[in-house]
Amino acid sequence: MVRKLGVIGYGKMGSALVNGAIKAGVLSAEMTGVYELSPERQVAAQKAGLSLLSDLGELQNYDSILLATKPKEIPKILDRLKWCMVEGKAHYISIAAGIKINTYLSRLGQNARVTRVMPNIAASVNQAASVYIHSKAVTKADREFVSSFLKGVGMAISIEEESLIDTITGISGSGPAYFFLLMDIMVKAGVDAGIPEDLARTLVSQTCLGAGSMARESSDRLVDLIRAVASPGGTTEEALKVMESRGISKIIYDAIVAAIEKSKKMNYS
Ligand SMILES: NC(=O)c1ccc[n+]([C@@H]2O[C@H](COP(=O)([O-])OP(=O)(O)OC[C@H]3O[C@@H](n4cnc5c(N)ncnc54)[C@H](OP(=O)(O)O)[C@@H]3O)[C@@H](O)[C@H]2O)c1
């Protein structure tokens, strides 16, 4: 089902979701309106065929409203929405890290229809990993829209426990950046050893895609998949020895814990 979607913040994540959903046919550009402060991003929205809104009050005409600004902007936006929207008319979908459903309810009203989503940037290529959770008042039609919208931009899983979102933020919300970092290092190593950069990037990207597909499709444990590549005395084993001697597992583990803790501490109520 295609709905009228109003978008507040057409930045990296807002545009990734909207453009991915339009590409997937679960959203129509003509039925999507954007309220955005950055002139550059306004131009990008217009180029994508979306309507530009000049006032938050115009969101009154939309069925669902996607909140896609930085978390610190959300409380003041909610206060303005509370003032300019008819209570209970719209359904809100927020992707802001660290802001709990209760914050939306306390600012918009206890019966507000709110869906909290943690997507990732791969929505831009319809490969996002998203989780979502609804407030009590969300209707069947809202649920169907969220499900089709998020499945259009990748994989989407409904969760029952909101506290999981902090952990998920540190794993799959931030996750693409961890892989981009590893890929960047792999490309640099290839280039320094004489491979043209575009060839190195192509090979590394395809390797990441292939490893991801194997991890998703195979029932083997990940340590067994590592063993399948690292034959004794071989090149992979040599690389893994260097990585482990420098503590790579602990570094990555601690980094992800830091991201999770940051999400828990974010408090913009
Ligand atoms: N990036 C990710 O990979 C990712 C992943 C999962 C979740 N998220 C969540 O997605 C949200 C957006 O992140 P992002 O990375 O897309 O940020 P972003 O690129 O900075 O996009 C936010 C956009 O909103 C605009 N904006 C700021 N205040 C506004 C207001 N009051 N009304 C309308 N537009 C406003 C910003 O304009 P200015 O630049 O002029 O301020 C910017 O263009 C965050 O809450 C984040 O937690 C992001």
Side-chain angles (χ1 to χ4, degrees):
M1 63 174 301
V2 176
R3 261 189 179 196
K4 285 191 82 175
L5 182 75
V7 180
I8 307 178
Y10 186 72
K12 292 179 281 297
M13 207 48 230
S15 62
L17 283 167
V18 167
N19 298 337
I22 291 171
K23 223 189 300 166
V26 295
L27 195 67
S28 128
E30 297 79 52
M31 290 166 75
T32 304
V34 169
Y35 179 78
E36 164 64 60
L37 297 184
S38 148
E40 209 177 284
R41 301 307 304 159
Q42 289 176 354
V43 170
Q46 274 176 317
K47 276 194 185 146
L50 313 174
S51 315
L52 269 192
L53 310 179
S54 53
D55 188 274
L56 279 180
E58 292 178 51
L59 291 165
Q60 198 71 254
N61 306 318
Y62 291 83
D63 307 308
S64 288
I65 310 236
L66 178 67
L67 295 154
T69 63
K70 292 287 188 208
K72 68 177 168 52
E73 306 293 332
I74 299 282
K76 57 177 189 260
I77 290 175
L78 294 180
D79 289 346
R80 287 193 54 210
L81 288 170
K82 167 85 180 159
W83 182 77
C84 68
M85 302 282 285
V86 173
E87 200 168 322
K89 190 163 177 270
H91 162 231
Y92 296 91
I93 303 171
S94 175
I95 60 169
I99 303 193
K100 296 186 181 54
I101 286 187
N102 260 337
T103 301
Y104 300 94
L105 301 188
S106 67
R107 297 208 176 229
L108 296 170
Q110 287 305 310
N111 284 324
R113 289 147 54 211
V114 178
T115 301
R116 185 175 169 197
V117 182
M118 181 43 61
N120 71 23
I121 198 79
S124 60
V125 289
N126 302 81
Q127 292 291 339
S130 306
V131 298
Y132 60 98
I133 183 163
H134 303 291
S135 71
K136 284 203 182 76
V138 162
T139 64
K140 186 165 174 272
D142 297 332
R143 287 168 199 267
E144 284 170 4
F145 174 69
V146 168
S147 172
S148 88
F149 177 69
L150 293 179
K151 284 181 180 155
V153 297
M155 184 210 76
I157 298 172
S158 156
I159 56 168
E160 300 297 327
E161 208 185 312
E162 191 178 8
S163 62
L164 295 181
I165 293 193
D166 291 317
T167 306
I168 289 162
T169 301
I171 293 178
S172 55
S174 305
Y178 312 152
F179 288 102
F180 294 143
L181 172 67
L182 179 60
M183 288 162 70
D184 189 44
I185 297 166
M186 290 167 75
V187 169
K188 276 194 187 113
V191 169
D192 288 349
I195 303 179
E197 186 168 349
D198 54 351
L199 176 60
R201 182 169 168 158
T202 302
L203 292 171
V204 165
S205 308
Q206 178 58 32
T207 302
C208 186
L209 208 58
S213 300
M214 278 185 76
R216 197 174 53 184
E217 285 166 30
S218 168
S219 55
D220 292 348
R221 296 177 313 156
L222 292 171
V223 286
D224 293 328
L225 292 179
I226 294 173
R227 277 198 203 107
V229 190
S231 35
T235 55
T236 313
E237 188 188 60
E238 204 58 29
L240 295 175
K241 262 193 223 163
V242 174
M243 288 181 192
E244 279 314 334
S245 71
R246 306 215 183 153
I248 193 166
S249 297
K250 181 161 167 37
I251 291 170
I252 294 175
Y253 189 95
D254 289 351
I256 293 170
V257 169
I260 295 168
E261 290 307 314
K262 174 77 181 179
S263 176
K264 284 183 187 162
K265 279 190 212 131
M266 283 171 96
N267 185 6
Y268 297 105
S269 58

